Amino acid sequence: MAELNSPPTLIQTFSGFSSKQSIGLLVATAAIIALIFGMWTWGKTPDYRVLYGNLSDRDGGAIIESLQQMNIPYKFAEGGGALLVPADQVHEVRLRMASQGLPKGSVAGFELMENQKFGTSQFLEQMNYQRALEGELARSVQTLASVQSARVHLAIPKPTVFVKEQQQPGASVVLTLHPGRTLDGSQISGIVHLISSSVPNMPAKNVTVVDQSGSLLSSAKEGSTGQMDATQINYVRQIEQAYINRIEAIIAPLIGASNVRAQVTADVDFAQTEQTAESYKPNQDPKESTLRSQQTTASTSGGNQNASGVPGALSNQPPVPATAPIVAPSSSVPAAASGGVTSSLKESTVNYEVDRTIRHTKLPVGSIKRLSVAVVVNNRTLTDKNGKKSSKPLNDSEKEQITALVKDAMGFNVSRGDSLNILNSAFNVEKETIAPEIPFWKQPETIALAKDLLKYLLITGIGLYLLFGVIRPAIRNFSTVPVPPPVASKTENAEEIAVQERVATQNAAQQANHSYENNLEAAKKIAGQDPKIVASVVQGWVNNE
């Protein structure tokens, strides 16, 4: 009875299969293995990323040949022409390609000078040098983050010994920027000076830079129309913002940072002016002046003791004794006729230094000519005992204090023509619209993680379904061996054979639909109903009939 209830071995199970069952089991096993291998391969499919884009045919062929030698899978993106490799190998492949000098680019540099042929003319050598220099400059410009590609054209004149015929070289640069990228003024100026510094005797004003749409990015400052450039505009904006910060910073502690708004308009003079003035001071006291030169001339002439005068009787008479009259009589003799007369002449010329002042003044560029300031101050917010808020305007004293503070902060100058306007009014504050934060499940990282989890869960679900829904029932059905009908003895009558067939049929049905315990219970039930039949069947098994 124990031998009857013991489960069959694996060899016995396969030996009891028919040819169709064996073939079906092998086909099912092969299909299951192929399906599992396919799911594993699908799960291991790498995520491809862009290695290089917009490759030339020469660089593309060299890179593909190198990838094939390194056994690295690759494929091309549809429509874009980009070369794709597995995402986890992008950086490694780029480093390996860089060590091989790939990609070289569509422009040639100084490698043109490496393969010079014998007998090359001087003109061809000069052209190759110019092409090489253009290629190297284009490669240097392409290293900028915003530049996708660049082309440089140089106009180098022929050297001459005549000074009047000498010409300065020039350059034209065409830039192709990445989508959505722009260049600011400092970057454009950097490109211009990079080109001008690489070519001898090339001024920066001879370099022209345009983008892929034909817009002029560089413009010479000399001979301009007087319009402000980007640097000057930024300088004005910085000055205005500095004054705004000063005004708001000094008023905010009084009424709150959110209760004051200020705007400043600065009139800045960018004209370059030079002045030369020569002034003379008025005449000073000679004692305080500086002596420059002095010249003095003196001459003296004297008369003799000989007789002189008008000849006549009066002049030949002896001298009259001296008398001292009370009233001196008038002399009728001319002075020129008297003797012993002496004359002298003295001239003096004095030159003093002239007090002269020469002043040469160069006015600074970017000086402020005028400031216009407008300030809006919010009313005070008061809260009563019940918690109700109300708005109250500022009084005159508070307004005067704020005005004085603003004037000191901005450096108010009446002679300069500055203007200040302060307005006290209630603010119409709108409720700030807070941008909704991106939910966690909408973030790109979460979406990528969910895709990976969904892929692996799908693979796991398919595998479990195949294991428990297909493989296990198939093995169970194939392992169910039909019980052979007992061999009937010669002494058994037709009734016993029919009973045995019925028992065998019932046993087969029970084995197909119930477990081992259920089959045992069914056998016990049959033995209780008809023990004679069961005894006959067991006797036949024992006798091996």
Side-chain angles (χ1 to χ4, degrees), residues 66-86:
S66 180
L67 291 177
Q68 291 175 352
Q69 294 177 357
M70 292 185 292
N71 294 325
I72 296 177
Y74 65 89
K75 63 180 182 179
F76 291 95
E78 297 181 0
L83 185 61
L84 308 178
V85 295

Side-chain angles (χ1 to χ4, degrees), residues 436-458:
E437 186 178 357
I438 300 177
F440 175 76
W441 54 275
K442 286 187 177 181
Q443 296 179 1
E445 296 82 2
T446 306
I447 294 175
L449 180 61
K451 289 181 179 179
D452 294 338
L453 292 177
L454 181 61
K455 180 173 67 174
Y456 290 114
L457 288 176
L458 182 60

Side-chain angles (χ1 to χ4, degrees), residues 23-283:
I23 294 173
L25 182 60
L26 293 176
V27 172
T29 304
I32 293 170
I33 294 174
L35 185 59
I36 293 175
F37 179 76
M39 290 188 298
W40 179 81
T41 304
W42 179 49
K44 291 293 182 179
T45 301
D47 184 15
Y48 282 84
R49 298 291 177 85
V50 177
L51 179 64
Y52 296 111
N54 297 326
L55 291 173
S56 61
D57 295 339
R58 180 182 302 177
D59 289 339
I63 292 174
I64 290 175
E65 183 179 358
S66 180
L67 291 177
Q68 291 175 352
Q69 294 177 357
M70 292 185 292
N71 294 325
I72 296 177
Y74 65 89
K75 63 180 182 179
F76 291 95
E78 297 181 0
L83 185 61
L84 308 178
V85 295
D88 56 348
Q89 298 181 356
V90 171
H91 300 289
E92 180 182 358
V93 172
R94 286 181 179 174
L95 293 177
R96 289 188 179 183
M97 294 301 170
S99 63
Q100 300 177 11
L102 295 175
K104 296 181 180 180
S106 58
V107 293
F110 280 117
E111 60 268 14
L112 288 175
M113 311 298 295
E114 298 176 356
N115 300 322
Q116 290 291 333
K117 298 180 180 180
F118 181 75
T120 304
S121 63
Q122 183 179 3
F123 174 77
L124 185 58
E125 289 181 353
Q126 183 66 25
M127 291 301 298
N128 289 337
Y129 172 75
Q130 183 172 341
R131 288 180 56 199
L133 185 58
E134 292 174 350
E136 293 295 334
L137 291 175
R139 290 178 181 177
S140 300
V141 176
Q142 288 177 4
T143 58
L144 299 178
S146 300
V147 179
Q148 183 177 2
S149 62
R151 295 193 65 183
V152 179
H153 303 279
L154 298 178
I156 301 177
K158 294 182 180 180
T160 178
V161 296
F162 300 101
V163 179
K164 294 183 178 180
E165 296 181 359
Q166 290 181 355
Q167 297 179 359
Q168 294 178 340
S172 300
V173 183
V174 181
L175 301 178
T176 301
L177 305 179
H178 288 287
R181 298 288 187 90
T182 57
L183 294 175
D184 55 14
S186 60
Q187 291 175 323
I188 297 172
S189 179
I191 295 175
V192 170
H193 286 82
L194 172 66
I195 301 298
S196 63
S197 301
S198 302
V199 181
N201 302 325
M202 177 183 290
K205 64 180 181 180
N206 289 359
V207 180
T208 304
V209 182
V210 298
D211 60 4
Q212 67 269 26
S213 60
S215 301
L216 181 64
L217 302 180
S218 64
S219 59
K221 294 184 179 180
E222 299 181 2
S224 59
T225 59
Q227 297 179 355
M228 297 177 61
D229 57 10
T231 305
Q232 295 175 350
I233 295 176
N234 292 334
Y235 177 71
V236 174
R237 296 292 178 266
Q238 292 175 3
I239 291 178
E240 294 174 349
Q241 188 61 40
Y243 278 105
I244 292 173
N245 295 337
R246 288 182 185 179
I247 295 171
E248 293 182 351
I250 200 166
I251 301 179
L254 300 177
I255 58 177
S258 60
N259 294 326
V260 58
R261 297 290 187 273
Q263 290 295 328
V264 177
T265 301
D267 187 4
V268 183
D269 185 12
F270 291 101
Q272 298 181 359
T273 306
E274 296 183 6
Q275 295 178 354
T276 302
E278 184 176 356
S279 60
Y280 296 90
K281 292 184 178 179
N283 296 331

